Amino acid sequence: MKFGLTLSLLLTMLFAAVGRAQDPADAQPTPPSAAHPILALGSQAPDFSLPGVDGKTHSLADYASSPVLVVVFMCNHCPIAQMYEQRVQSLADDYRDKGVAVVAIQPNDPKAIRIDELDSSDISDSLDEMKIRFEYKHWRYTYLYDGDTQSVARAYGPQATPHVFVFDKERKLRYEGRVDNNYRKELVKTQNARDAIDAVLAGREVAVKHTGVFGCSTKWAEKSAQRVAALHKIEEQPITVDMATADDLKKLRANSSKRMTLISFWATWCGSCIDEFDDLEDTYLMYKVRDFDLVTVSANMPDEKEGVLRMLKNKRATSKNLLFSSTDTEALQKAFDPTWESAVPYTILLDANGKVLYKNLGTVDILELRRTILANMSSDYIGFNQYWQSGNAISTAPASGGR
């Protein structure tokens, strides 16, 4: 399954990106952007007409009968936004009977996100990917896409995801800022968005009209230099392949690296291997900043090294790459896994202690694989892992592969 973020496509497009998002563990307010100012308190709600994950187009006028309109800028890739998805759903559920409309908008340009900025996500921020995330997590709130033009985001000025804007019946802005004071639910002491909604519903002045926001900065389209530099840096990395003996494969299976390691056995003559190669390499580029490694092992014959290396270069395989050092394929397979008697592709994910987290003969389900990685990856906060813990059992799909 392809999601439009393969490295070869990125290197061709060379679109804009912003810098690396702040550490999720450092929940400090994001400084306001001079280039993208926040909508001033008391302002009229800017109009919008945007596509949603429900396949419909939603406009400001659709919510004219609601006494309060809550606009929350959210996204897929940010781990802080992920921690707030359930809270946005709760806002929609808890205030629905009071007529409050809750509308989430994804403001990021997907082409402005570096691949390493996806280190906490299975996918990026396109509309199609928003639909995938919604189906996976079973959310029900209104979620709209503004990534193509960012015209709505420029009008509202969200500084990070999430960023909340609360409007009254006349659609005057009465509050903007954070949802609450902490992305960790057990540390929440101040319910800023709920307090503002309650005040507007009761006809009272909002006590706290503005707070700083924390999360991943909005990815504006015009900042291209950092993205281009990052892509060129990847392009310039050398591509190599080393010969792997039976002893090498035994060590690889033991995972002496003490890092989570994804191992992909493939061959140049295996069509399904070639088809999934981009997804696996993208996965490596997404997560390698987080104690994660990818090792590809070609099951070609040793004298086919030139063709293997040519394919690796074509795929920009910057990970560690190995090639069977012997024509005794069966012996090398058994050295790695005595139970492996089938074809390639064969993919296995090992934790830092060598425990099998994912194992698959045949083409991988890349979303299942990425979610398994994220559910088990070392993290500063267990909530980031728990978010991904649905559907992360070991896969034992039937063998398939080759042409």
Side-chain angles (χ1 to χ4, degrees):
M1 183 179 295
K2 299 295 190 293
F3 302 109
L5 55 86
T6 61
L7 178 59
S8 58
L9 178 60
L10 294 173
L11 288 167
T12 301
M13 298 175 77
L14 295 179
F15 276 106
V18 301
R20 177 77 176 96
Q22 66 186 57
D23 188 328
D26 182 20
Q28 299 298 317
T30 299
S33 167
H36 300 283
I38 304 169
L39 183 69
L41 289 164
S43 298
Q44 197 75 26
D47 198 6
F48 59 82
S49 181
L50 296 171
V53 296
D54 59 359
K56 302 176 182 178
T57 298
H58 296 249
S59 65
L60 182 65
D62 295 338
Y63 309 99
S65 63
S66 299
V68 177
L69 171 65
V70 181
V71 177
V72 188
F73 287 89
M74 294 282 287
C75 72
N76 283 346
H77 84 277
C78 175
I80 302 303
Q82 291 162 12
M83 294 300 97
Y84 278 92
E85 287 175 359
Q86 180 60 65
R87 279 172 258 193
V88 172
Q89 185 63 66
S90 295
L91 279 178
D93 293 341
D94 294 348
Y95 286 95
R96 184 175 294 110
D97 290 345
K98 297 180 180 180
V100 175
V102 176
V103 177
I105 298 176
Q106 197 294 103
N108 296 326
D109 181 349
K111 300 182 298 297
I113 303 173
R114 295 197 316 266
I115 195 165
D116 62 298
E117 290 179 304
L118 302 178
D119 64 350
S120 297
S121 186
D122 56 342
I123 49 180
S124 189
D125 286 349
S126 71
L127 178 57
D128 286 342
E129 289 163 314
M130 289 163 58
K131 294 176 181 178
I132 290 170
R133 175 64 57 77
F134 240 57
E135 181 179 358
Y136 171 58
K137 299 302 276 187
H138 307 293
W139 302 134
R140 302 172 306 282
Y141 56 83
T142 301
Y143 196 20
L144 312 181
Y145 176 69
D146 185 40
D148 286 346
T149 67
Q150 297 187 297
S151 60
V152 178
R154 294 177 193 280
Y156 283 75
Q159 304 300 294
T161 49
H163 194 155
V164 181
F165 296 76
V166 177
F167 297 90
D168 62 19
K169 176 65 176 176
E170 287 70 40
R171 295 300 176 258
K172 299 293 185 180
L173 181 61
R174 301 284 297 277
Y175 168 81
E176 62 81 14
R178 64 196 187 188
V179 176
D180 54 39
N181 70 292
N182 205 293
Y183 64 87
R184 292 175 58 169
K185 282 189 174 182
E186 71 275 15
L187 299 178
V188 172
K189 297 179 180 179
T190 306
Q191 296 281 0
N192 303 96
R194 286 176 178 266
D195 291 346
I197 295 169
D198 290 340
V200 175
L201 284 172
R204 303 192 312 265
E205 191 73 14
V206 177
V208 177
K209 298 178 175 63
H210 162 80
T211 66
V213 294
F214 51 88
C216 302
S217 59
T218 304
K219 304 302 181 279
W220 302 105
E222 62 268 21
K223 293 185 177 180
S224 62
Q226 293 178 49
R227 181 182 183 84
V228 171
L231 294 175
H232 282 312
K233 187 175 181 180
I234 295 171
E235 176 71 14
E236 292 168 357
Q237 293 180 25
I239 310 298
T240 61
V241 61
D242 298 317
M243 308 306 291
T245 65
D247 284 343
D248 293 330
L249 294 174
K250 289 178 182 178
K251 291 177 182 177
L252 181 62
R253 174 60 187 83
N255 197 18
S256 59
S257 71
K258 300 304 178 184
R259 291 161 59 91
M260 181 181 287
T261 303
L262 178 63
I263 303 163
S264 172
F265 289 85
W266 69 288
T268 58
W269 40 260
C270 166
S272 53
C273 299
I274 303 305
D275 186 60
E276 72 178 14
F277 211 104
D278 287 336
D279 282 337
L280 295 175
E281 285 295 328
D282 285 349
T283 300
Y284 170 60
L285 294 172
M286 288 162 68
Y287 305 140
K288 71 175 186 176
V289 296
R290 298 187 60 191
D291 294 327
F292 175 83
D293 287 328
L294 168 66
V295 180
T296 76
V297 185
S298 171
N300 284 79
M301 296 295 104
D303 63 359
E304 296 170 2
K305 182 177 181 179
E306 183 177 345
V308 170
L309 183 57
R310 183 166 55 249
M311 181 64 72
L312 291 169
K313 289 181 177 179
N314 181 55
K315 293 295 184 179
R316 298 308 308 160
T318 58
S319 57
K320 181 177 182 180
N321 304 302
L322 303 175
L323 168 64
F324 280 179
S325 65
S326 166
T327 59
D328 190 350
T329 300
E330 182 179 2
L332 292 172
Q333 285 179 288
K334 289 188 179 300
F336 182 83
D337 179 357
T339 68
W340 177 25
E341 297 179 346
S342 189
V344 289
Y346 170 47
T347 307
I348 188 168
L349 176 68
L350 305 174
D351 73 6
N353 298 311
K355 177 184 175 183
V356 177
L357 300 173
Y358 178 97
K359 182 178 179 180
N360 191 73
L361 286 166
T363 302
V364 300
D365 180 331
I366 195 64
L367 292 180
E368 179 188 12
L369 174 58
R370 288 175 181 172
R371 290 163 184 168
T372 303
I373 292 168
L374 292 164
N376 292 278
M377 188 172 284
S378 176
S379 178
D380 293 329
Y381 172 49
I382 190 62
F384 296 138
N385 302 99
Q386 291 171 340
Y387 178 88
W388 299 103
Q389 284 176 356
S390 0
N392 67 333
I394 293 174
S395 171
T396 54
S400 63
R403 295 186 185 277

